[in-house]
């Protein structure tokens, strides 16, 4: 996997990678990560990825991270791991 660039964001760490004919977008927040893959053939340039990371999309990413955290906390509590 080849690193292409970091995409600045105040809340998330966003990295763009290229691998096997695909762009891979990794979005990290704390211990959680979301990964999106898109074929290089579907885009004109790698900059199209930045355009796709609009406010509406990133708000959904933020919500998904919150849901992931809630799920993780719930399973920890349900199984007496987290107090």
């Amino acid at each position: 996997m080849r690193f292409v660039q970091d995409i600045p964001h105040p809340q998330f760490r966003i990295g763009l990678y290229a691998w096997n004919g695909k762009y891979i977008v990794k979005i990290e927040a704390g211990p959680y990560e979301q990964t999106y893959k898109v074929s290089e053939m579907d885009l004109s340039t790698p900059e199209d990825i930045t355009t796709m990371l609009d406010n509406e999309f990133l708000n959904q990413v933020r919500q998904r991270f919150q849901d992931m955290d809630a799920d993780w906390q719930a399973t920890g509590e349900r199984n007496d791991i987290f107090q």
Side-chain angles (χ1 to χ4, degrees), residues 4-65:
V4 177
Q5 72 181 68
D6 279 321
I7 300 171
H9 190 272
Q11 187 175 10
F12 307 126
R13 181 170 186 258
I14 303 174
L16 180 61
Y17 300 84
W19 181 70
N20 203 23
K22 293 183 169 89
Y23 287 113
I24 300 169
V25 180
K26 287 187 172 190
I27 305 172
E28 299 176 50
Y32 306 112
E33 178 180 289
Q34 295 177 44
T35 303
Y36 299 87
K37 297 177 185 177
V38 61
S39 172
E40 290 178 357
M41 303 296 285
D42 291 341
L43 305 175
S44 301
T45 68
E47 288 76 28
D48 288 345
I49 294 288
T50 306
T51 302
M52 294 174 68
L53 300 176
D54 62 11
N55 284 335
E56 185 175 346
F57 176 77
L58 291 174
N59 285 336
Q60 291 298 316
V61 166
R62 182 178 299 106
Q63 181 60 54
R64 196 165 295 111
F65 277 129

